[in-house]
């Protein structure tokens, strides 16, 4: 049976790269009907923080990942590592240096791994120093405790980022020393930013936490991350974890570095937002509105979600796009003002439209549109002369939902008030 593990160090938030590692391990375990274990690598007692661990576990769950059994904590296993190190010491394979225990590396040997993603990689032990197993402060060194645990957990495949390739020969030495068979290794090429450099804070948001706050849906994050290095084939892109589980193969993973493209992620997010029900989106969007200090009735928010969910790329986008529906304190797009309101004749068109709208009793999109089309026909106007100026006048923006739907939601009174105000307020033509 396949047994894999995700081994986060709780010294920070869940990074995009680690999230992808978790997803790939999870997909492989579920595809093969195996186990997906969690190991908390909290040997660094100073930098590890329970708060980070909590967030990491929550983020994994948020993305739809589950794990088998209880997580194991390295911080609770120092005795186990010590005992193993001491037995290697007793066997003469290691030596002490002060309180530290080091493993003696035999020089002049080739260590070969047949990586599931990269194929054959050969290392020479001449380049490997004697390896610390237990540090002088009594804590274990990463490569050693990683192997002790992977053996104990019966890990069959170690799937992790390329940044660990250089650790692998050292770990193989420990497997040998402990008389154990190493697992299969699969190293995933690192994720790069759009500029080709290793993805880092410099590229903007790099933690799942930040994306969550910025209005990204878990389905979109999981979907986009799994495609960084793997493809379901046939040009398919939008794929759920459940579907991916059926067809995921480790050997189909790419051995070239994947580029993290924020725009592409936004595209995925928009695709998932569109398919959500208004009910499901409501609590997420309500939260962004609350954070933005905007209060409104549930019905009105839902009406606007209906209109805008096909237009937003993140749930947070909703706030700026719809601010003018909730408050009089909304920004005015200066460029739009010059382009559509300060153009000769457009303010006059606004006045005429507003005057005709006064007569509309049932303020429905259909009725509003009939009035608008009639004016356009009579005066031979283009959209840029009446529709766009009206949108500017009522929302301060040049984008948004369908104008007539926007007008209905805003309500006749506000629409007329803003149209008239815009028509007189702007500098004379
Ligand atoms: N704690 C290590 C990391 O977060 C895990 C490495 C491994 O999977 O062996 O990179």
């Amino acid at each position: 049976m396949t047994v894999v593990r995700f081994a986060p160090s709780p010294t920070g938030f869940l990074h995009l790269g680690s999230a992808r590692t978790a997803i790939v391990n999870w997909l492989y375990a579920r595809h093969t009907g195996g186990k997906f274990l969690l190991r908390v690598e909290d040997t660094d007692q100073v930098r590890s923080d329970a708060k980070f661990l909590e967030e990491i576990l929550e983020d994994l769950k948020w993305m739809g990942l589950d794990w088998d059994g209880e997580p194991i904590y390295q911080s609770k296993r120092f005795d186990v590592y010590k005992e193993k190190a001491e037995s290697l010491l007793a066997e003469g394979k290691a030596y002490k240096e002060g309180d530290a225990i080091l493993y003696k590396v035999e020089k002049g040997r080739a260590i070969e791994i047949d990586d599931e993603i990269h194929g054959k990689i050969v290392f020479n032990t001449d380049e490997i120093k004697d390896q610390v197993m237990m540090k002088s402060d009594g804590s274990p060194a990463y490569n050693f405790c990683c192997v002790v645990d992977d053996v104990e957990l019966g890990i069959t495949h170690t799937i992790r980022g390329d940044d660990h390739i250089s650790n692998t020969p050292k770990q193989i030495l420990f497997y040998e020393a402990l008389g154990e068979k190493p697992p299969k290794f699969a190293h995933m090429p690192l994720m790069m930013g759009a500029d080709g450099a290793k993805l880092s804070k410099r590229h903007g948001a790099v933690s799942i936490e930040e994306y969550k706050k910025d209005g990204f849906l878990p389905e979109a994050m999981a979907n986009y991350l799994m495609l960084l290095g793997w493809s379901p084939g046939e040009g398919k892109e939008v794929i759920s974890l459940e579907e991916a589980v059926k067809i995921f193969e480790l050997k189909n993973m790419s051995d070239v570095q994947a580029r993290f493209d924020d725009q592409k992620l936004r595209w995925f997010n928009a695709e998932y937002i569109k398919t959500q029900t208004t009910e499901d989106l409501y609590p997420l969007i309500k939260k962004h509105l609350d954070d933005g200090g905007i209060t409104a009735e549930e019905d009105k928010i839902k009406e606007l979600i209906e209109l805008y969910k096909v237009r937003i790329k993140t749930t947070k986008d909703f706030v700026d796009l719809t601010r003018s529906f909730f408050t009089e304190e909304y920004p005015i797009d200066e460029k739009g003002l010059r382009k559509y309101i300060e153009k000769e004749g457009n303010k006059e068109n606004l006045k005429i439209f507003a005057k005709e709208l006064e007569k509309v009793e049932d303020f429905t999109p259909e009725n509003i549109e009939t009035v608008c089309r009639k004016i356009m026909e009579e005066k031979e106007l283009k959209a840029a002369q009446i529709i766009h100026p009206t949108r500017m006048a009522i929302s301060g923006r040049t984008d948004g939902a369908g104008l007539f739907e926007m007008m209905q939601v805003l309500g006749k009174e506000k629409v007329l008030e803003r149209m008239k105000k815009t028509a007189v307020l702007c500098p004379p033509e």
Side-chain angles (χ1 to χ4, degrees):
M1 183 173 55
T2 304
V3 184
V4 296
R5 83 299 192 277
F6 175 56
S9 307
T11 52
F13 290 116
L14 185 65
H15 184 279
L16 294 172
S18 308
R20 181 191 57 169
T21 301
I23 292 170
V24 169
N25 274 282
W26 182 88
L27 283 173
Y28 190 57
R30 297 294 174 250
H31 175 72
T32 53
K35 279 190 178 162
F36 174 66
L37 309 178
L38 261 194
R39 177 170 74 237
V40 183
E41 304 211 321
D42 53 354
T43 55
D44 185 337
Q45 310 264 24
V46 181
R47 287 174 59 228
S48 297
D49 193 326
K51 173 190 88 186
F52 291 130
L53 179 64
E54 216 173 285
E55 299 274 11
I56 292 169
L57 299 187
E58 208 182 291
D59 289 349
L60 294 177
K61 281 190 240 163
W62 179 72
M63 285 191 298
L65 307 188
D66 56 351
W67 50 90
D68 298 302
E70 289 298 313
I72 79 157
Y73 294 81
Q74 289 191 325
S75 59
K76 294 184 184 154
R77 293 169 48 78
F78 282 19
D79 289 350
V80 178
Y81 310 130
K82 188 163 173 246
E83 202 188 296
K84 291 277 179 209
E86 279 171 354
S87 67
L88 292 182
L89 194 62
E91 288 172 42
K93 292 177 178 167
Y95 60 93
K96 279 193 110 170
E97 207 172 73
D99 287 332
I101 307 178
L102 281 82
Y103 178 71
K104 259 189 271 181
V105 174
E106 185 193 334
K107 300 290 164 185
R109 274 189 57 197
I111 294 180
E112 196 177 302
I113 62 167
D114 190 16
D115 192 278
E116 299 286 293
I117 295 170
H118 297 289
K120 193 166 136 178
I121 312 175
V122 186
F123 303 89
N124 191 308
T125 56
D126 284 346
E127 270 127 58
I128 303 174
K129 291 189 304 207
D130 284 352
Q131 291 295 301
V132 175
M133 295 189 283
M134 297 302 290
K135 301 181 193 173
S136 50
D137 66 1
S139 66
Y142 160 69
N143 282 314
F144 183 62
C145 58
C146 177
V147 171
V148 171
D149 289 346
D150 283 346
V151 166
E152 193 165 313
L153 297 172
I155 300 301
T156 58
H157 295 73
T158 295
I159 310 168
R160 59 189 174 192
D162 267 0
D163 47 339
H164 285 287
I165 285 190
S166 62
N167 285 321
T168 303
K170 300 165 189 168
Q171 297 191 355
I172 288 178
L173 289 172
F174 285 132
Y175 281 102
E176 289 177 3
L178 295 168
E180 302 286 347
K181 187 170 157 270
K184 289 213 155 74
F185 289 96
H187 290 96
M188 287 178 285
L190 297 183
M191 265 157 51
M192 299 291 145
D195 57 357
K198 188 179 165 211
L199 197 66
S200 73
K201 201 75 204 152
R202 206 164 43 78
H203 295 102
V206 288
S207 70
I208 295 293
E209 208 54 29
E210 283 167 280
Y211 280 94
K212 201 198 266 185
K213 283 202 189 90
D214 284 347
F216 285 82
L217 299 182
E219 296 86 348
M221 292 308 294
N223 191 157
Y224 182 59
L225 288 172
M226 79 168 103
L227 295 191
L228 293 174
W230 175 75
S231 162
E234 291 161 21
K236 193 170 168 68
E237 287 191 304
V238 176
I239 181 168
S240 65
L241 283 172
E242 291 67 33
E243 280 176 274
V245 160
K246 294 188 202 134
I247 54 173
F248 181 83
E249 294 289 352
L250 207 48
K251 62 174 193 303
N252 290 347
M253 287 203 70
S254 162
D255 61 355
V256 292
Q257 283 168 343
R259 215 162 263 228
F260 185 84
D261 178 351
D262 224 50
Q263 292 308 315
K264 187 76 193 194
L265 172 60
R266 292 173 72 81
W267 177 84
F268 271 102
N269 205 45
E271 290 300 302
Y272 280 98
I273 289 175
K274 272 183 217 164
T275 64
Q276 299 275 316
T277 64
T278 294
E279 281 305 317
D280 286 340
L281 289 171
Y282 176 74
L284 303 174
I285 286 179
K286 174 80 167 68
K287 171 94 177 52
H288 294 301
L289 290 171
D290 288 347
D291 292 346
I294 293 170
T295 44
E297 281 174 20
E298 187 168 332
D299 285 351
K300 184 165 177 191
I301 298 173
K302 285 187 174 166
E303 220 176 340
L304 284 165
I305 294 177
E306 278 297 325
L307 280 189
Y308 279 85
K309 72 178 181 187
V310 295
R311 295 180 165 82
I312 51 180
K313 295 232 163 33
T314 70
T315 49
K316 199 176 174 185
D317 284 351
F318 183 88
V319 180
D320 282 339
L321 266 175
T322 62
R323 191 176 299 273
S324 60
F325 289 93
F326 302 113
T327 162
E328 295 306 310
E329 310 278 304
Y330 55 89
I332 307 287
D333 176 350
E334 294 294 330
K335 242 185 164 163
L337 209 57
R338 281 195 297 277
K339 189 163 174 196
Y340 297 119
I341 306 293
E342 290 170 14
K343 274 275 156 63
E344 201 181 329
N346 285 5
K347 279 194 276 182
E348 192 50 36
N349 298 337
L350 271 183
K351 277 184 207 161
I352 296 167
F353 191 15
K355 197 156 160 248
E356 289 304 311
L357 284 174
E358 302 252 20
K359 301 176 206 155
V360 177
E361 287 199 359
D362 194 6
F363 211 61
T364 61
E366 298 72 33
N367 291 347
I368 301 169
E369 177 161 9
T370 306
V371 171
C372 183
R373 299 280 170 215
K374 192 159 162 264
I375 299 171
M376 285 173 81
E377 208 166 295
E378 279 173 13
K379 305 210 168 284
E380 293 183 11
L381 299 178
K382 296 195 202 73
Q385 295 169 293
I386 183 162
I387 293 184
H388 302 343
T390 307
R391 184 192 300 279
M392 256 316 290
I394 67 161
S395 69
R397 305 180 62 99
T398 55
D399 55 3
L403 174 66
F404 310 121
E405 282 84 12
M406 285 169 75
M407 293 169 84
Q408 180 189 38
V409 178
L410 190 60
K412 184 173 172 179
E413 198 183 324
K414 278 255 174 291
V415 165
L416 294 182
E417 186 187 305
R418 289 183 187 174
M419 284 175 81
K420 285 179 195 162
K421 196 170 132 201
T422 310
V424 294
L425 260 190
C426 288
E429 280 153 11

